[in-house]
Amino acid sequence: MPSYKAPIADMQFLLHEVLKAPASALPGYGDLEPSFTAAVLEEAGKLATDVLAPLNAVGDREGCVLENGTVRTPTGFKAAFDAMKEGGWTALDCDPDYGGQGLPYLMQSAVGEIFVSANMAFNMYQGLTHGAYSAIHAHGTAEQKAKYLPKMVTCDWTGTMNLTEPHCGTDLGLMRTKAEPQDDGSYKITGQKIFISAGDHDLAENIIHLVLAKAPGGGEGTKGISLFIVPKVMVNDDGSLGARNAVSVGKIEEKMGIHGNATCVMNYDGATGWLLGDLHKGMRAMFTMMNEARLGVGLQGYAVAEAAYQNAVIYAKDRLQGRDVTGAKNPTGPADPLIVHPDIRRNLMEQKSFVEGARALTFWGASLIDAAHNGDKDADGLIGLLTPVIKGFQTDKGFETAVNAQQIYGGHGYIEEQGMSQFARDARIAQIYEGANGVQALDLVGRKLASDGGKHVMAFFEMVKAECKAHDGDARMTAFVEPLKTASKQMQAAGMFFMQNGMKNPNAALAGSYDFMHLMGHVCLGLMWTRMAKAALVCLDEGRGDKSYLETKVATGRFYMARQLPLCGAHLARIESGADTVMALDAEAF
Amino acid sequence: MPSYKAPIADMQFLLHEVLKAPASALPGYGDLEPSFTAAVLEEAGKLATDVLAPLNAVGDREGCVLENGTVRTPTGFKAAFDAMKEGGWTALDCDPDYGGQGLPYLMQSAVGEIFVSANMAFNMYQGLTHGAYSAIHAHGTAEQKAKYLPKMVTCDWTGTMNLTEPHCGTDLGLMRTKAEPQDDGSYKITGQKIFISAGDHDLAENIIHLVLAKAPGGGEGTKGISLFIVPKVMVNDDGSLGARNAVSVGKIEEKMGIHGNATCVMNYDGATGWLLGDLHKGMRAMFTMMNEARLGVGLQGYAVAEAAYQNAVIYAKDRLQGRDVTGAKNPTGPADPLIVHPDIRRNLMEQKSFVEGARALTFWGASLIDAAHNGDKDADGLIGLLTPVIKGFQTDKGFETAVNAQQIYGGHGYIEEQGMSQFARDARIAQIYEGANGVQALDLVGRKLASDGGKHVMAFFEMVKAECKAHDGDARMTAFVEPLKTASKQMQAAGMFFMQNGMKNPNAALAGSYDFMHLMGHVCLGLMWTRMAKAALVCLDEGRGDKSYLETKVATGRFYMARQLPLCGAHLARIESGADTVMALDAEAF
């Protein structure tokens, strides 16, 4: 069975040497002293290693079961959920006014990674609750906040997000679920929602469903959509629980992975709901949550990959097979460990350099969200630009990494007992939900690049340029700066191609959108590796920190720059080939 | 539930317009007239569509069950297996001396693709039998052939290949299974074998296990290994069945996919076996089968992808979501079909252009095997070179294609009911078994490139050069010839890098082996697309064939050349970065 250990040294390095969090003026950052963050991460790591990780395979094997209309979660999930609640882990970055601990979203993300690595399906129950909490916190009335948030902060009540319907996924304008206004100010919600993660379960006494539905008078398409609070069990004015609402589970979906999380068909049969935010402005209310939710999915991408990577390393060191071609490394044993073989190394280095780069990008992204919440418009623009990359690129590469980790195991990786298949199957969903990755690419190229007159992407290029300039004359940084410069220029050339061709033919840009998302992903990770390498070299120069860790960090970065940044040229060539070959065929020709 | 339709037009185009099979002097090729091959393929297609494809999901859901020491296959498998036998499909390319139909391996491959696409797990029962048949046919005594082959040709008896043990996969030198010679000329086989596909089942009255084991006096490592015939049920001299042999199923593995095939732990407890081929030459006997077996796995890679692709196309045409940015294509409907969106097209074109290219490469490879069997040394050398590419590249891209097809379905792709997850899970094994793809890359770069003094790779380059030269002055071919020339030069540069650096540091070559396998894969498919495009243009010029099919063929090839060949440059850059960054870390640093 796979094991997991929180990568605390790497997280501390990011928080303190790269981001220098305590030096930031952002609210709460001043408290993030190394000893404090280490203590938090170590406690989270213990819970993850001892409680959550051992349940990961259990959840996969048992799945969730619908019995008499309610969902039973896998053995041990309830006790683990209680341990999570008791540890205060559900309240980390929540508003102290409602019982939260008020830590920055950055810390929430670091702890979140640990829990997701240990047990992605389990962590979704609180992850979805956090999303619903944020929506109510941002758009609820004072009364709504007082009524729901304290219980959601503790996860005594959990939350869900209800968007998708059988015939409508990305295109929410096709939505059919209806909201009929009632005399008492409530609405009757009627319709079917599908793919509702944590839609029902036995972990909490109530579930607060947030449901998109069409109320009268809003017009066609997405314009008519509003967001509603629909509790599973009605909440009385004194906060006590009342009658069951008219919402029920139609079935649990059988999925490729994340079996431990109940993905439900939810039926709303005239269920009582209350408007959240403005009437007919439900899409806007959802979208304010989007950066955070998509960053969370991008985090899942590399967090599952991290767990898979850790186990691939253990196996590669342990499994004896073949001999090092340059001379036996284990001459007294029957064979050398797998890790001596160059192609095994190539594979492991791809995994390691991706995961550490993605962690840096995600932590940086989380700090931008903190800044944006604090009114920083530039940070808000930048995280808007980065979000589709963090979501799309990181989940694609995260899945690829999990598959590569599985490959290290050879035939044993295909056997469910070993647990490597689960990492691949679980990681797969992150490429799909919260906007399939093709939709992320469309968002990036069709919307974010040009938003505010292209201001944010220009700022990003300036940032990369400044980073490169800062290391002028530092020969140790050449292996970082040169590939980053090249890749950044390739990204600019791609942007130029879109500008020159996209106006007269939008397809010329959109046909290259997926490649652009990956091109930009490599530039982002190249930027992260440049920053990390510099931070590590500074530590080495100043004689601070673990020398071996720091040298490994620089070497891992050099691998990424030498081996992954060359892909940017290929992405550019594909982009510049335009839409002609992509759109050449009639639909009938497929 | 997914559907499947045999791509007969595409197969006919390859057989008759590209390979021009009936014009070949190879034995049996003269009979492959268009009407004959069409009839065979259509009959195979009917069986695949009507009988095998509907059982694919059944096999996945039910899996195989071990009951009282024997394996029960999924519902319907026995009847389908009988239908397969009755149709003569198990005997297609087998030796007429033992009841086979003596068709070329090329036809066996075409029909094989159809059956694998429809139901990969099911087809393995006869696929493994075919491998064991080939081994006995090549290495057996006249008596052994007479005893086993007629029943194996009809699949009244099936076969298995037993190589792997718990501690030994790629490194067969670590093998522990023992063979002790008996006075009657037989051997007692003792040991445990794992991952034995079709190791036991209820489809046939006997199973002929081919088992690698160490007989006394052979020395250390792989040198001491011999190959043995170990029947599940002893076969009397008159061909009737006798007592059960001392071989039993330890358990069935629970796997990520191919649930319909029983992957068994096999225990040999002093089982009676007979030497097949020469004593202590078991590895050589296995390796004569290797090209064919690995070509078969490379075929699985794209065959499963073909089935996934077909369903992705159906879904993309059917599912209404969003609007074409250049103007509504389905203005009277609520939305346009997915297929209008450029990134959906990009995805579908990647699938289509890979599958058709891989089919061409596989058919060509099969014809080279026919030529090699007929004594053509150059063909033998060439297929030896191509085999790791066909196996490694095609199964990597096949899995990627199945995952991309699943992605078209969005959230529905993650639900098992839709069947798209199964394609991805099934395709995954082909990257692992019959030599994990890293081992294929090692075989390619560490052995095949330099074999016979590099003669075969030089011949390959000459072949590419001649192909390009043949289209000089044909402007319609420029979009093919130019990218192919560039990619071929990049491949040559990579080979040069290996030569210049690999001698003093083998790791410098091996660290680039995986990239080389993919670089060469793209060159091979580029060559195939150049040939196919030319063949299609000739047909168009001569007014033969289906104009729409032929134009689609050319357009699909243009996509592959424009969008996939640029990856070769990235692979070369990675290769030329050498081993430094790959091998920089101590094992402890991971």
Side-chain angles (χ1 to χ4, degrees), chain B residues 179-387:
Chain B
E180 299 163 274
Q182 306 296 305
D183 292 343
D184 66 352
S186 73
Y187 288 77
K188 290 278 175 227
I189 312 290
T190 305
Q192 187 177 64
K193 295 287 182 178
I194 64 170
F195 303 158
I196 308 309
S197 299
D200 196 56
H201 55 78
D202 52 7
L203 304 178
E205 55 193 11
N206 201 5
I207 300 176
I208 310 304
H209 301 291
L210 298 191
V211 183
L212 285 181
K214 286 193 168 176
E220 288 300 297
T222 55
K223 287 191 292 289
I225 292 174
S226 306
L227 186 58
F228 297 91
I229 299 176
V230 185
K232 174 183 174 180
V233 184
M234 307 296 279
V235 182
N236 299 319
D237 286 342
D238 65 356
S240 65
L241 294 181
R244 272 294 296 265
N245 204 348
V247 47
S248 59
V249 182
K251 70 165 178 170
I252 301 182
E253 303 286 1
E254 293 203 14
K255 310 182 299 292
M256 186 178 183
I258 52 165
H259 296 161
N261 196 276
T263 304
C264 298
V265 173
M266 301 300 297
N267 293 320
Y268 295 88
D269 302 306
T272 302
W274 287 271
L275 186 67
L276 177 60
D278 295 332
L279 187 66
H280 304 142
K281 298 279 158 63
M283 290 301 287
R284 207 160 63 185
M286 288 300 304
F287 269 97
T288 56
M289 252 45 64
M290 215 54 110
N291 286 344
E292 203 179 302
R294 290 182 169 175
L295 190 104
V297 176
L299 181 149
Q300 289 179 328
Y302 82 84
V304 175
E306 162 76 31
Y309 163 71
Q310 287 190 13
N311 289 280
V313 167
I314 293 169
Y315 193 81
K317 289 180 181 175
D318 187 55
R319 171 84 168 175
L320 304 180
Q321 208 80 181
R323 287 292 183 194
D324 188 330
V325 289
T326 64
K329 287 287 180 296
N330 177 33
T332 57
D336 287 342
L338 286 181
I339 202 164
V340 305
H341 302 299
D343 189 61
I344 296 285
R345 285 290 181 114
R346 190 260 325 150
N347 183 338
L348 290 175
M349 287 301 289
E350 286 187 11
Q351 296 177 48
K352 180 175 170 65
S353 64
F354 161 69
V355 168
E356 293 179 15
R359 177 176 297 126
L361 181 59
T362 303
F363 280 26
W364 181 42
S367 75
L368 290 171
I369 286 182
D370 281 326
H373 284 174
N374 200 41
D376 182 336
K377 293 282 173 213
D378 290 340
D380 192 52
L382 185 55
I383 189 62
L385 176 71
L386 293 175
T387 292

Side-chain angles (χ1 to χ4, degrees), chain A residues 182-198:
Chain A
Q182 306 296 303
D183 292 342
D184 66 352
S186 71
Y187 288 77
K188 290 278 173 225
I189 311 292
T190 304
Q192 188 178 66
K193 294 288 180 176
I194 64 169
F195 303 159
I196 307 310
S197 298

Side-chain angles (χ1 to χ4, degrees), chain A residues 166-171 174 194-195 251 253-258 309 313 317 319-322 325-326 334-335 339-340 342-343 345-346 348-350 352 399 403 406-407 410-412 414-417 421 424-426 428-429 431-432 436-438 505-507 510-515 552 555-556 558-559 562-564 566-567 570 573-575 577-578 581-590, chain B residues 166-171 174 194-195 251 253-258 309 313 317 319-322 325-326 334-335 339-340 342-343 345-346 348-350 352 399 403 406-407 410-412 414-417 421 424-426 428-429 431-432 436-438 505-507 510-515 552 555-556 558-559 562-564 566-567 570 573-575 577-578 581-590:
Chain A
H167 60 287
C168 107
T170 300
D171 189 351
L174 302 175
I194 64 169
F195 303 159
K251 71 165 177 170
E253 304 286 1
E254 294 204 11
K255 309 182 299 291
M256 185 179 186
I258 53 165
Y309 163 72
V313 167
K317 290 180 180 176
R319 173 86 169 174
L320 304 180
Q321 209 80 181
V325 289
T326 65
I339 201 165
V340 306
D343 189 61
R345 287 290 181 114
R346 191 258 329 147
L348 289 176
M349 288 300 291
E350 286 187 11
K352 181 175 169 64
F399 174 68
V403 168
Q406 182 189 23
Q407 189 74 13
H412 298 273
Y414 202 64
I415 308 300
E416 290 293 354
E417 201 181 354
S421 160
R425 291 185 288 98
D426 284 359
R428 181 72 182 92
I429 188 59
Q431 300 174 280
I432 299 172
N437 285 355
N505 178 13
N507 287 346
L510 297 181
S513 57
Y514 212 89
D515 281 284
T552 297
T556 306
R558 288 171 66 101
F559 174 91
R563 286 259 165 177
Q564 305 296 35
L567 291 167
R574 289 162 58 101
I575 289 165
S577 77
T581 64
V582 175
M583 306 301 290
L585 301 186
D586 288 337
E588 296 69 40
F590 283 91
Chain B
H167 59 288
C168 107
T170 301
D171 189 351
L174 303 175
I194 64 170
F195 303 158
K251 70 165 178 170
E253 303 286 1
E254 293 203 14
K255 310 182 299 292
M256 186 178 183
I258 52 165
Y309 163 71
V313 167
K317 289 180 181 175
R319 171 84 168 175
L320 304 180
Q321 208 80 181
V325 289
T326 64
I339 202 164
V340 305
D343 189 61
R345 285 290 181 114
R346 190 260 325 150
L348 290 175
M349 287 301 289
E350 286 187 11
K352 180 175 170 65
F399 174 67
V403 169
Q406 182 189 24
Q407 190 73 13
H412 297 273
Y414 202 64
I415 307 300
E416 290 294 354
E417 198 182 356
S421 162
R425 290 184 291 97
D426 285 358
R428 182 73 183 89
I429 188 59
Q431 300 173 280
I432 299 172
N437 285 356
N505 178 15
N507 287 346
L510 298 181
S513 58
Y514 212 89
D515 280 284
T552 296
T556 306
R558 289 172 64 101
F559 174 90
R563 286 258 167 178
Q564 304 296 35
L567 291 167
R574 287 163 59 102
I575 289 165
S577 77
T581 64
V582 175
M583 305 303 287
L585 300 186
D586 289 337
E588 296 69 40
F590 283 91

Side-chain angles (χ1 to χ4, degrees), chain A residues 194-520:
Chain A
I194 64 169
F195 303 159
I196 307 310
S197 298
D200 197 52
H201 54 78
D202 52 7
L203 304 177
E205 57 193 8
N206 200 6
I207 301 176
I208 309 305
H209 301 292
L210 298 192
V211 183
L212 285 180
K214 286 193 169 176
E220 287 300 297
T222 55
K223 286 192 293 288
I225 292 174
S226 307
L227 185 57
F228 297 90
I229 298 175
V230 186
K232 174 182 175 182
V233 184
M234 306 296 278
V235 181
N236 299 319
D237 287 342
D238 65 355
S240 64
L241 296 180
R244 275 292 298 265
N245 203 349
V247 48
S248 59
V249 182
K251 71 165 177 170
I252 301 184
E253 304 286 1
E254 294 204 11
K255 309 182 299 291
M256 185 179 186
I258 53 165
H259 296 161
N261 197 277
T263 305
C264 299
V265 172
M266 302 299 298
N267 294 319
Y268 294 88
D269 301 306
T272 302
W274 286 272
L275 185 67
L276 177 60
D278 295 333
L279 187 68
H280 304 141
K281 298 281 160 60
M283 291 300 286
R284 206 159 65 185
M286 290 298 303
F287 269 97
T288 57
M289 253 45 63
M290 215 54 111
N291 286 343
E292 202 179 305
R294 290 181 169 176
L295 188 105
V297 175
L299 181 150
Q300 290 178 328
Y302 83 84
V304 175
E306 161 75 33
Y309 163 72
Q310 287 189 14
N311 288 281
V313 167
I314 293 169
Y315 193 81
K317 290 180 180 176
D318 188 57
R319 173 86 169 174
L320 304 180
Q321 209 80 181
R323 288 291 182 193
D324 188 329
V325 289
T326 65
K329 286 288 179 296
N330 176 33
T332 58
D336 288 340
L338 287 181
I339 201 165
V340 306
H341 301 301
D343 189 61
I344 296 285
R345 287 290 181 114
R346 191 258 329 147
N347 183 338
L348 289 176
M349 288 300 291
E350 286 187 11
Q351 295 177 48
K352 181 175 169 64
S353 64
F354 161 68
V355 168
E356 295 180 13
R359 176 177 297 125
L361 182 59
T362 304
F363 280 26
W364 180 44
S367 75
L368 291 171
I369 286 182
D370 280 324
H373 285 175
N374 199 41
D376 183 336
K377 293 279 172 213
D378 290 340
D380 192 54
L382 184 55
I383 190 61
L385 175 71
L386 293 174
T387 292
V389 178
I390 291 176
K391 198 285 183 183
F393 176 74
Q394 289 189 184
T395 60
D396 278 359
K397 292 290 172 187
F399 174 68
E400 188 182 304
T401 300
V403 168
N404 284 345
Q406 182 189 23
Q407 189 74 13
I408 299 283
Y409 278 63
H412 298 273
Y414 202 64
I415 308 300
E416 290 293 354
E417 201 181 354
Q418 296 283 349
M420 299 306 286
S421 160
Q422 187 189 350
F423 290 131
R425 291 185 288 98
D426 284 359
R428 181 72 182 92
I429 188 59
Q431 300 174 280
I432 299 172
Y433 63 17
E434 205 58 44
N437 285 355
V439 175
Q440 302 299 326
L442 178 64
D443 177 46
L444 177 62
V445 170
R447 188 184 305 162
K448 296 294 175 62
L449 276 190
S451 74
D452 295 331
K455 180 179 152 192
H456 308 298
V457 73
M458 294 310 294
F460 177 78
F461 286 132
E462 285 305 315
M463 190 177 285
V464 172
K465 210 168 147 185
E467 183 73 35
C468 292
K469 210 174 155 61
H471 310 304
D472 253 6
D474 185 345
R476 301 172 306 176
M477 291 299 294
T478 310
F480 293 87
V481 169
E482 289 307 319
L484 180 58
K485 270 186 195 163
T486 303
S488 175
K489 275 179 200 152
Q490 286 162 333
M491 184 178 149
Q492 289 179 54
M496 197 61 77
F497 178 85
F498 292 154
M499 283 214 293
Q500 286 167 347
N501 298 277
M503 291 295 269
K504 54 179 190 283
N505 178 13
N507 287 346
L510 297 181
S513 57
Y514 212 89
D515 281 284
F516 187 81
M517 182 171 77
H518 276 256
L519 200 178
M520 184 166 167

